[in-house]
Amino acid sequence: MKEVIKTVWLSATMSLSIAVNANSDSVFQNIAAVDEALTLAQIKTTKGPASLLVLAQEGQQISAVNLSQVFDLYTNDPLDIVVQVGSEKVRAQAQQSPQRFELSQLIIPTGLSSEQLAAGGNYAAHSEESGLEDVFLFPKYSQPTPGNQAMPVNAGQLLDYEIEICTRFDRDIRSTDDFNKATKAFFLCGDFSDRAALMRNIDPDDWESGAGFTDGKSGQGLFPIGFFTVIPNDWLSFLNDIQLQLSVNNDIRQQAKADQMILKIDGILNLALSEEESMRWTYQGKNIPLLNERVLYKGQSIVSGTPAGVVFRPPENTFIASCVLKWLVTGQFFKQRITDYVIESHIEAGLESKAYLQPGDHIAMSASYLGGFDFTIESSKK
């Protein structure tokens, strides 16, 4: 009788979850079936972070089994409890009676690295809108922050959004063999950037070099992440089935399926590992490698790229021609190189247009199976 009641209750919560989709900031509230993927979350307790096996989401609540109570095991990353206990033992806990938790109780894993491996130009439509031709990689230096935390914008910044799927692993990745053996965890993330800093540091002759991207996309608060960690049985089919959506002030800006990625997670990693040891990337005036010692260390994430719909557009030929004329007529050629003049003019136009994120803007991001989060842009206190 207990199992029948539990089954009916879970079915009801799943049905209600679908019904409230239209009125929730998180468009996608579908939790993967436990026989296809393990959906994990964490809450704060006096013993440390407790890991939960999430079975359903109903609006601002989830139903979940407290794995840390079951196994008396508290880890900084819910991925670790699956590795230590075993996925089948964790999956079996879905037969337990679940508890209800508020989304506001959830925390992100602690101890994650501030150094990420990021891909640019990994969706064809985004490459086209941004003037890119090939997939390229760059380091992103930004500590993960909770997705419901307000994001500051400084005066002079051109703050842009990008919704992405991130992946982390249960071990250091040095080779394809390591990747194949690793337990893979997927989660929703945002790759936010200051396009002004990016443009000032970019190589105008070789955008795909990655120059400028680390400066423009690194720093505090530019890497918000979701609260669900999802470990699928078949990572590739799971990834291809994910639908992404980002909205600004209820206006949908980005919407795509992950099967549109040019390089999947293994392709991004293979490209990174094939890079010769080089210090050609820069951050804050210093040369840096793509990966330290050509290793993606445990706790680092792969940031897989974003679909079309970002604010940034490269300057059009008519704009460049107008800038060249002004540069000549006003005698700016005595003070600035033409490329710097065009870039600064493009930044100034972006600031005047207010097309980029402004204080008070509300961002909502969600993905099928990965949950969602939303937050507000606020003026920096600096």
Side-chain angles (χ1 to χ4, degrees):
M1 184 65 181
K2 179 180 176 183
E3 290 302 314
V4 173
I5 293 173
K6 178 195 160 192
T7 301
V8 171
W9 184 83
L10 278 177
S11 298
T13 58
M14 288 297 287
S15 298
L16 185 55
S17 170
I18 295 171
V20 300
N21 269 350
N23 299 316
S24 172
D25 283 320
S26 181
V27 175
F28 301 105
Q29 297 189 8
N30 49 331
I31 302 299
V34 291
D35 60 346
E36 296 179 357
L38 299 174
T39 302
L40 309 170
Q42 287 191 310
I43 58 172
K44 190 175 182 179
T45 73
T46 55
K47 291 186 176 182
S51 296
L52 312 175
L53 175 62
V54 181
L55 302 177
Q57 180 178 351
E58 177 191 348
Q60 297 301 307
Q61 289 187 328
I62 58 170
S63 60
V65 176
N66 191 326
L67 298 173
S68 292
Q69 282 185 346
V70 172
F71 299 112
D72 192 25
L73 186 58
Y74 296 81
T75 61
N76 289 333
D77 189 338
L79 169 61
D80 294 333
I81 201 169
V82 175
V83 173
Q84 293 180 41
V85 172
S87 59
E88 290 310 311
K89 285 186 178 180
V90 170
R91 189 170 285 107
Q93 302 313 308
Q95 301 303 315
Q96 301 279 351
S97 296
Q99 304 172 54
R100 286 177 179 263
F101 299 91
E102 298 292 331
L103 290 184
S104 59
Q105 292 179 259
L106 302 185
I107 60 174
I108 63 172
T110 58
L112 298 183
S113 175
S114 62
E115 298 182 12
Q116 325 304 337
L117 170 63
N122 202 22
Y123 287 75
H126 174 58
S127 290
E128 183 177 352
E129 71 179 0
S130 301
L132 302 169
E133 295 180 359
D134 299 308
V135 179
F136 62 95
L137 306 177
F138 60 93
K140 179 181 175 77
Y141 290 177
S142 189
Q143 187 66 40
T145 52
N148 58 2
Q149 184 174 295
M151 182 178 293
V153 58
N154 298 316
Q157 274 189 320
L158 297 177
L159 185 61
D160 205 352
Y161 51 79
E162 292 183 6
I163 185 171
E164 309 205 9
I165 298 168
C166 281
T167 313
R168 65 183 187 272
F169 306 90
D170 68 331
R171 67 193 70 195
D172 298 343
I173 306 295
R174 293 178 168 83
S175 65
T176 301
D177 187 54
D178 288 336
F179 174 86
N180 292 334
K181 292 177 180 177
T183 300
K184 303 161 187 68
F186 292 82
F187 57 102
L188 182 62
C189 64
D191 179 18
F192 284 69
S193 58
D194 175 10
R195 298 291 186 181
L198 193 158
M199 283 189 281
R200 287 184 176 121
N201 291 278
I202 202 168
D203 181 350
D205 297 319
D206 185 8
W207 287 29
E208 286 83 6
S209 70
F213 281 80
T214 302
D215 283 287
K217 291 175 169 287
S218 297
Q220 182 62 29
L222 296 179
F223 188 41
I225 69 171
F227 299 95
F228 292 165
T229 296
V230 185
I231 303 173
N233 295 338
D234 183 339
W235 73 267
L236 184 56
S237 62
F238 174 82
L239 175 67
N240 285 335
D241 199 37
I242 295 175
Q243 181 83 23
L244 295 161
Q245 181 171 302
L246 178 146
S247 65
V248 179
N249 301 328
N250 296 318
D251 176 32
I252 296 174
R253 300 287 184 86
Q254 293 186 283
Q255 193 173 52
K257 204 171 179 185
D259 63 359
Q260 296 174 24
M261 282 185 191
I262 298 169
L263 294 181
K264 302 303 190 288
I265 305 304
D266 55 348
I268 294 171
L269 183 65
N270 287 338
L271 182 60
L273 296 177
S274 68
E275 285 274 355
E276 296 182 3
E277 285 196 47
S278 170
M279 301 287 282
R280 65 182 175 85
W281 292 268
T282 59
Y283 181 51
Q284 296 181 341
K286 297 180 180 179
N287 289 96
I288 56 172
L290 179 63
L291 293 173
N292 286 316
E293 301 175 325
R294 298 179 71 187
V295 179
L296 185 75
Y297 288 102
K298 186 178 184 297
Q300 290 183 272
S301 300
I302 292 179
V303 186
S304 61
T306 197
V310 300
V311 178
F312 175 78
R313 296 292 186 277
E316 297 180 353
N317 289 337
T318 52
F319 180 86
I320 294 173
S322 174
C323 287
V324 171
L325 182 60
K326 290 179 182 178
W327 179 70
L328 291 170
V329 171
T330 60
Q332 290 297 316
F333 53 85
F334 289 116
K335 303 175 183 178
Q336 268 182 314
R337 297 182 306 163
I338 182 57
T339 52
D340 293 336
Y341 184 78
V342 171
I343 286 170
E344 291 303 323
S345 297
H346 194 53
I347 291 171
E348 184 178 350
L351 292 170
E352 290 177 354
S353 72
K354 296 190 180 298
Y356 289 86
L357 296 175
Q358 304 293 315
D361 283 345
H362 182 256
I363 314 299
M365 304 170 61
S366 60
S368 49
Y369 312 119
L370 302 182
F373 54 84
D374 62 285
F375 59 91
T376 302
I377 305 298
E378 63 179 14
S379 295
S380 174
K381 296 177 182 179
K382 290 183 180 180

